[in-house]
Amino acid sequence: MRKLHDRFFKQAKREGKLARSVYKLEELNRRERIIRKGDSVLDLGASPGSWLEYILEVIGPDGVACAIDLKPIHKKFKGRAEFKKMNILDMTGSEFVDVAPDGFNAVVSDMAPNTTGIRITDQLRSLELCEAVLALAQKLLKKDGDFVCKIFYGAETEQFRARVGKFFKTAKIRKPQACRDESIEHYVLGLGYHGGTTPSPVKDS
């Protein structure tokens, strides 16, 4: 039986976090140093704001974050944050000139498609979102910037990781501990954006 109230759920409640998903980004960042003090960060699929809250804590007052979602974020946070209600599939990249005119240090996405319960369909919809996130990241990342994108693991996941590796020094797949054991969600990471098309080292999780 699925454990709805696992230790991360209880920890989030105890610590006053908006969602248990914050611990996924926290672990990824602890292991890979994706987000740092003073960074500019684009947070895609940001509602209800658990990742945004953590991002603002890390980047501090000298950093800036831009949160994107079709759903609102009701909580007010300390720090430099801007929310834009937008669909990633409609974005061109020009929407962020006012927030980060020189580009972002990191583009992170915890987006997931509306699920159907049909695994292959949900995996393909997730892949479509990931492709859109990667395309946007190529337009917006600074040199040596980093990329994180949630994906529903399936037959195309390894191929997507390979595509990420064409533009980053390192590409890898992680499944943070806060992901439930039965969940098919994983995260594809691109570390050290160089913008080229020469395949980079591809590492397992």
Coordinates of all heavy atoms in Angstrom, one line a residue, residues 33-41 55 58-60 62-65 104-106 142 146:
R33 N 25.5 21.0 -5.9 CA 25.7 22.5 -5.9 C 25.1 23.2 -7.1 O 25.8 24.0 -7.8 CB 27.1 22.8 -5.6 CG 27.7 22.4 -4.3 CD 29.0 23.1 -4.0 NE 28.7 24.5 -3.7 CZ 29.7 25.4 -3.9 NH1 30.9 25.1 -4.3 NH2 29.4 26.7 -3.6
I34 N 23.9 22.9 -7.4 CA 23.2 23.5 -8.6 C 22.9 25.0 -8.3 O 23.0 25.8 -9.3 CB 21.9 22.7 -8.8 CG1 22.2 21.3 -9.2 CG2 21.1 23.4 -10.0 CD1 21.1 20.3 -8.9
I35 N 22.5 25.3 -7.1 CA 22.0 26.7 -6.8 C 23.0 27.2 -5.7 O 23.2 26.5 -4.7 CB 20.6 26.7 -6.3 CG1 19.7 26.1 -7.4 CG2 20.2 28.1 -5.9 CD1 18.3 25.7 -6.9
R36 N 23.4 28.4 -5.9 CA 24.4 29.0 -4.9 C 24.0 30.4 -4.6 O 23.2 31.0 -5.2 CB 25.8 29.0 -5.6 CG 26.2 27.6 -6.1 CD 27.6 27.6 -6.7 NE 27.8 26.3 -7.4 CZ 29.0 26.0 -7.8 NH1 30.0 26.8 -7.8 NH2 29.2 24.8 -8.4
K37 N 24.7 30.9 -3.6 CA 24.4 32.3 -3.1 C 24.6 33.3 -4.2 O 25.6 33.2 -4.9 CB 25.3 32.6 -1.9 CG 25.1 33.9 -1.3 CD 26.0 34.1 -0.1 CE 25.7 35.5 0.6 NZ 26.6 35.7 1.8
G38 N 23.7 34.2 -4.4 CA 23.8 35.2 -5.4 C 23.3 34.8 -6.8 O 23.3 35.7 -7.7
D39 N 22.9 33.6 -7.0 CA 22.5 33.1 -8.3 C 21.1 33.7 -8.7 O 20.3 34.2 -8.0 CB 22.3 31.6 -8.3 CG 23.6 30.9 -8.5 OD1 24.6 31.5 -8.8 OD2 23.6 29.6 -8.5
S40 N 20.9 33.7 -10.1 CA 19.6 33.9 -10.7 C 19.1 32.6 -11.1 O 19.8 31.8 -11.7 CB 19.8 34.8 -11.9 OG 20.7 34.3 -12.8
V41 N 17.8 32.3 -10.7 CA 17.3 30.9 -10.9 C 15.9 31.0 -11.5 O 15.0 31.8 -11.0 CB 17.2 30.2 -9.6 CG1 16.6 28.8 -9.8 CG2 18.6 30.1 -8.9
I55 N 14.9 27.9 -2.8 CA 15.8 28.6 -3.7 C 16.2 30.0 -3.1 O 17.3 30.4 -3.1 CB 15.2 28.8 -5.1 CG1 15.1 27.5 -5.8 CG2 15.9 29.9 -5.9 CD1 14.2 27.5 -7.1
V58 N 18.6 29.8 -0.4 CA 20.0 29.6 -0.8 C 20.7 30.8 -1.5 O 21.8 31.1 -1.2 CB 20.0 28.4 -1.8 CG1 21.4 28.2 -2.3 CG2 19.6 27.1 -1.1
I59 N 19.9 31.4 -2.4 CA 20.5 32.5 -3.1 C 20.7 33.8 -2.3 O 21.5 34.6 -2.6 CB 19.7 32.8 -4.4 CG1 18.3 33.3 -4.1 CG2 19.7 31.6 -5.3 CD1 17.5 33.7 -5.3
G60 N 19.9 34.0 -1.3 CA 20.0 35.1 -0.4 C 19.6 36.4 -1.1 O 19.1 36.4 -2.2
D62 N 21.1 38.8 -2.5 CA 21.8 39.2 -3.8 C 21.4 38.4 -5.0 O 21.8 38.7 -6.1 CB 23.3 39.1 -3.6 CG 23.8 40.1 -2.6 OD1 23.3 41.2 -2.4 OD2 24.8 39.7 -1.9
G63 N 20.6 37.3 -4.8 CA 20.1 36.5 -5.9 C 18.7 36.9 -6.3 O 18.1 37.8 -5.7
V64 N 18.3 36.3 -7.4 CA 16.9 36.6 -7.9 C 16.3 35.3 -8.4 O 17.0 34.5 -9.0 CB 16.9 37.7 -9.0 CG1 17.8 37.3 -10.2 CG2 15.5 38.1 -9.4
A65 N 15.0 35.2 -8.2 CA 14.3 34.0 -8.7 C 13.1 34.4 -9.4 O 12.4 35.4 -9.1 CB 14.0 33.1 -7.5
F104 N 20.2 33.1 -16.7 CA 20.1 32.5 -15.4 C 21.3 31.5 -15.1 O 21.8 30.9 -16.0 CB 18.8 31.6 -15.3 CG 17.5 32.5 -15.3 CD1 16.9 32.7 -16.5 CD2 17.0 33.0 -14.1 CE1 15.7 33.5 -16.5 CE2 15.9 33.7 -14.1 CZ 15.2 34.0 -15.3
N105 N 21.6 31.4 -13.8 CA 22.6 30.4 -13.4 C 22.1 29.0 -13.4 O 22.8 28.1 -13.5 CB 23.2 30.8 -12.0 CG 23.8 32.2 -12.0 OD1 23.3 33.1 -11.5 ND2 25.1 32.2 -12.5
A106 N 20.8 28.9 -13.1 CA 20.1 27.6 -13.1 C 18.7 27.7 -13.6 O 18.0 28.7 -13.3 CB 20.2 27.1 -11.6
K142 N 23.2 30.9 -18.5 CA 24.6 31.4 -18.6 C 25.6 30.3 -18.8 O 25.3 29.1 -18.6 CB 25.0 32.1 -17.3 CG 24.2 33.4 -17.0 CD 24.7 34.0 -15.7 CE 23.9 35.3 -15.4 NZ 24.4 35.9 -14.1
D146 N 23.4 25.4 -14.7 CA 22.9 24.1 -14.5 C 21.4 23.9 -14.7 O 20.7 24.9 -14.7 CB 23.2 23.7 -13.0 CG 24.7 23.6 -12.7 OD1 25.5 23.2 -13.7 OD2 25.1 23.9 -11.6

